[in-house]
Amino acid sequence: MLGQRRSLAAVEQEEWDLIVIGGGITGAGVLLEAARRGHRVLLLEQTDFAWGTSSRSSKMVHGGLRYIAQGDIRLTRHSLLERERLIRELPGLVERATYLFPLRKGVFPGRWPMKAVLWLYDFLAGIRDHRYLSREQVLQRVPDLKGDDLTGAMSYTDALTDDCRLVMRTLLEGCRHGGWVRNYTRVESTSRDGDRFRVQVKDRESGETATLNTHRVISATGAWADRLSGSDPRVRPLRGSHLFVDPAKLPVKDCLTVMHPDDGRPVFVFPWEGVTCVGTTDLDHPQDMDIEAAASHQEVDYLLKLVNTQFTEHPVSREDIYSTIAGVRPVIASGKGVDPSKERRDHAVWGDNGVVTVSGGKLTTFRLIALDALLAAGLLDETTHRREQKSDAPGFTPITDAPRAVESFMQADQTEPAFIQWILEQEAVVHLDDLMLRRTRLGLLNPAAGMAVLEPMKAAIQAQLQWDDQRWDQEVRRYLDIHQRYYGVPAAEPRKACG
Ligand SMILES: Cc1cc2nc3c(=O)[nH]c(=O)nc-3n(C[C@H](O)[C@H](O)[C@H](O)COP(=O)(O)OP(=O)(O)OC[C@H]3O[C@@H](n4cnc5c(N)ncnc54)[C@H](O)[C@@H]3O)c2cc1C
């Protein structure tokens, strides 16, 4: 079990086989695959688990139709096989969902090209789930969709998850195999000492520092990877933002792909944990990576424009948005300065002076990315790597001694007392924002930062975390400040006065 945070002194005493830097899905995957093989492995996260990109994705466990469109059959096939594996192994956390691709008169791709692509997509996954829906059938399923030039839709399936809970579940599995994890612990630097490494770390809560000893280091620091890699910069940080909208104002039952009227980019509108999610954008992110990413007012305008031109019934305004979220995609740059949406989304593994860096890729393929990183770090040989890539052996074993929501989060009541108690006991919550924004999504899925749902949980949280009233007030202030700055709805730019 994850349990409470361990003291720095306890982790300093150990001689580690592997230290993993970064507590997103990539680091979690590396922890799990290393611990499963009996290595003594410690994962360090500078803020909270899944605080980086892995809590801010589009939540899709998918093959990615865009990869087929870009001719990347290998990435699509790998992603699809991993998707099927995760649906099988984590029912209730990774769930198959229906996707609709509306077809419009004179707009490419039409019915037959889409059918050919979806035939291949299903073939690569080993399923047959796609079909054509007539205009009437589409409007029955999505009555609010603009019908003017609609001719029908292609329906197919992919999967949805909660990215944070997927990270927590993977960390938990890694810990069940003997792995250790620590959040709010930043790696300041690494240095080589013969065949070992010294890893300088700082506890961001207490300010304590320590030097840890390990035989190998894997940096899974995503968009931050260039900082510790010691080699030339390779990551092009691209920001993508989403809106979480009142479902009464934008009701959808399926995941819709709609084309933005300004630039023809596909944007998803989909039901997620009781709200409607709209995204994403795709922009260069030159901002300081020490500051949490946030959606700009232009991105909110862009996504609202899509909604209000593609759906007819209820105009959606800023007041209907509960929250926003922005993530920075660690795209491995082609160096050609191409349009952000044209950069490849594959991962890369590279090394310098023995520190292996892994960045890029997708949530969906975290197991394969982890195997590549372990191969590069010399913790897996070529034969085992090849065998494991294709292996059907289960990656997760069911948890039977936890509240149902731990395994079936997508169908859970996130305020269920037993579940909250489990999180507080088992999931190393340090701040209130860890609980409201990542362990649960209550702060994103409710109006006014979810303060109304937080209030009834106050006594349980205070008792479990031993927070007196002063600490509680501090935590609430901190949480609301973070929410307003990085998860709120930026006001529209004031119109410039004429003359
Ligand atoms: C808008 C958007 C939508 C996406 N949608 C999808 C999707 O639908 N499906 C899909 O499969 N993929 C999707 N992706 C891609 C996917 O989210 C990412 O590839 C994945 O989350 C990256 O995980 P990671 O662990 O590599 O990085 P991160 O999750 O960013 O983790 C890296 C961690 O390293 C930590 N760190 C950095 N420096 C240090 C240090 N010095 N010491 C300790 N810790 C450190 C950071 O705090 C961070 O938590 C999307 C990405 C974006 C941006």
Side-chain angles (χ1 to χ4, degrees):
M1 297 296 167
L2 237 61
Q4 297 302 316
R5 285 173 90 221
R6 304 188 199 246
S7 71
L8 256 195
V11 292
E12 200 171 18
Q13 275 163 18
E14 295 281 332
E15 173 91 20
W16 299 100
D17 293 334
L18 171 67
I19 287 185
V20 182
I21 314 173
I25 191 67
T26 308
V30 174
L31 175 94
L32 171 56
E33 294 305 322
R36 188 202 299 294
R37 290 172 176 80
H39 298 298
R40 283 201 66 72
V41 49
L42 168 70
L43 177 145
L44 302 169
E45 164 54 48
Q46 64 176 354
T47 307
D48 185 30
F49 303 122
W51 171 83
T53 312
S54 300
S55 53
R56 304 150 187 275
S57 78
S58 300
K59 311 355 179 164
M60 292 176 182
V61 172
H62 62 165
L65 279 182
R66 59 177 290 165
Y67 310 120
I68 286 208
Q70 290 170 350
D72 205 335
I73 303 292
R74 191 169 160 271
L75 179 60
T76 315
R77 177 168 163 73
H78 283 163
S79 307
L80 286 169
L81 294 180
E82 291 304 302
R83 177 192 80 185
E84 291 302 303
R85 166 197 289 274
L86 288 167
I87 292 174
R88 241 182 0 254
E89 290 188 9
L90 297 175
L93 178 55
V94 179
E95 298 214 302
R96 206 180 283 287
T98 301
Y99 283 60
L100 296 184
F101 190 97
L103 303 167
R104 296 193 180 274
K105 208 177 281 167
V107 177
F108 184 83
R111 175 174 174 180
W112 298 109
M114 267 311 283
K115 191 168 170 48
V117 167
L118 289 174
W119 178 86
L120 179 59
Y121 199 63
D122 275 0
F123 174 76
L124 293 172
I127 60 169
R128 196 182 181 291
D129 260 359
H130 69 277
R131 66 194 181 101
Y132 173 74
L133 299 183
S134 67
R135 181 177 187 278
E136 290 65 38
Q137 286 171 313
V138 182
L139 290 175
Q140 242 169 31
R141 289 188 77 96
V142 200
D144 283 359
L145 191 66
K146 196 174 123 213
D148 310 358
D149 52 356
L150 186 76
T151 55
M154 291 308 298
S155 157
Y156 63 102
T157 64
D158 252 322
L160 281 176
T161 190
D162 183 295
D163 42 7
C164 264
R165 294 302 314 174
L166 186 61
V167 172
M168 293 311 296
R169 183 64 180 83
T170 309
L171 291 176
L172 185 59
E173 193 72 26
C175 292
R176 293 170 100 201
H177 285 279
W180 285 35
V181 298
R182 199 169 198 276
N183 52 356
Y184 292 95
T185 310
R186 174 184 244 150
V187 171
E188 302 286 355
S189 62
T190 60
S191 54
R192 195 162 193 154
D193 181 9
D195 62 347
R196 311 227 165 141
F197 291 90
R198 296 198 183 287
V199 177
Q200 282 77 35
V201 303
K202 181 171 186 177
D203 184 318
R204 294 182 74 196
E205 291 302 297
S206 66
E208 259 179 295
T209 58
T211 302
L212 313 183
N213 294 304
T214 180
H215 290 268
R216 305 271 201 292
V217 180
I218 295 181
S219 166
T221 45
W224 292 262
D226 288 335
R227 290 186 172 179
L228 289 170
S229 74
S231 48
D232 290 340
R234 296 194 59 177
V235 175
R236 178 176 178 184
L238 295 179
R239 186 175 72 245
S241 298
H242 291 88
L243 313 178
F244 296 108
V245 180
D246 179 351
K249 291 296 169 66
L250 185 58
V252 290
K253 290 195 288 267
D254 305 306
C255 305
L256 283 116
T257 306
V258 274
M259 300 303 175
H260 200 285
D262 287 353
D263 53 13
R265 277 188 61 252
V267 175
F268 290 111
V269 179
F270 57 101
W272 189 72
E273 296 180 14
V275 300
T276 298
C277 186
V278 182
T280 178
T281 53
D282 208 6
L283 300 161
D284 277 308
H285 182 75
Q287 283 87 342
D288 181 351
M289 287 296 295
D290 280 332
I291 299 172
E292 203 163 341
S296 67
H297 70 85
Q298 291 96 335
E299 286 173 282
V300 173
D301 289 341
Y302 173 89
L303 294 173
L304 279 179
K305 181 168 183 184
L306 169 107
V307 166
N308 287 325
T309 50
Q310 300 292 325
F311 295 83
T312 49
E313 279 305 307
H314 318 273
V316 175
S317 66
R318 276 182 159 67
E319 288 67 47
D320 304 318
I321 306 173
Y322 291 160
S323 57
T324 63
I325 195 163
V328 181
R329 205 185 270 275
V331 169
I332 306 303
S334 62
K336 294 180 188 151
V338 295
D339 181 77
S341 296
K342 300 219 164 74
E343 290 278 19
R344 286 172 55 94
R345 308 282 144 128
D346 234 344
H347 68 280
V349 181
W350 67 102
D352 191 76
N353 200 24
V355 175
V356 168
T357 302
V358 53
S359 185
K362 302 170 65 184
L363 204 66
T364 313
T365 46
F366 72 88
R367 191 186 71 91
L368 300 177
I369 298 175
L371 293 176
D372 287 355
L374 291 179
L375 175 70
L379 292 171
L380 210 61
D381 60 59
E382 294 270 2
T383 318
T384 318
H385 177 259
R386 255 197 312 278
R387 192 185 61 229
E388 290 287 306
Q389 274 186 320
K390 295 182 194 136
S391 159
D392 256 351
F396 291 88
T397 41
I399 301 179
T400 49
D401 56 351
R404 206 181 75 89
V406 174
E407 288 289 61
S408 301
F409 185 75
M410 299 297 279
Q411 301 140 10
D413 167 8
Q414 300 186 16
T415 60
E416 190 204 319
F419 178 49
I420 298 294
Q421 195 60 30
W422 157 278
I423 292 173
L424 297 171
E425 280 170 12
Q426 296 295 334
E427 297 192 347
V429 170
V430 174
H431 290 292
L432 190 55
D433 38 289
D434 302 340
L435 179 71
M436 293 298 283
L437 298 172
R438 288 174 290 276
R439 302 297 182 283
T440 72
R441 301 310 197 116
L442 294 167
L444 302 175
L445 304 173
N446 292 284
M451 288 307 286
V453 288
L454 175 61
E455 198 49 38
M457 303 193 300
K458 179 179 170 187
I461 299 171
Q462 280 193 277
Q464 179 62 36
L465 300 181
Q466 294 170 12
W467 287 352
D468 59 18
D469 287 345
Q470 193 190 350
R471 173 77 190 264
W472 175 263
D473 292 343
Q474 258 174 21
E475 289 291 337
V476 169
R477 270 199 304 278
R478 174 191 149 105
Y479 163 59
L480 289 177
D481 180 55
I482 289 174
H483 196 286
Q484 195 226 325
R485 283 171 196 263
Y486 310 116
Y487 299 88
V489 185
E493 194 173 37
R495 285 183 197 284
K496 299 220 167 53
C498 297

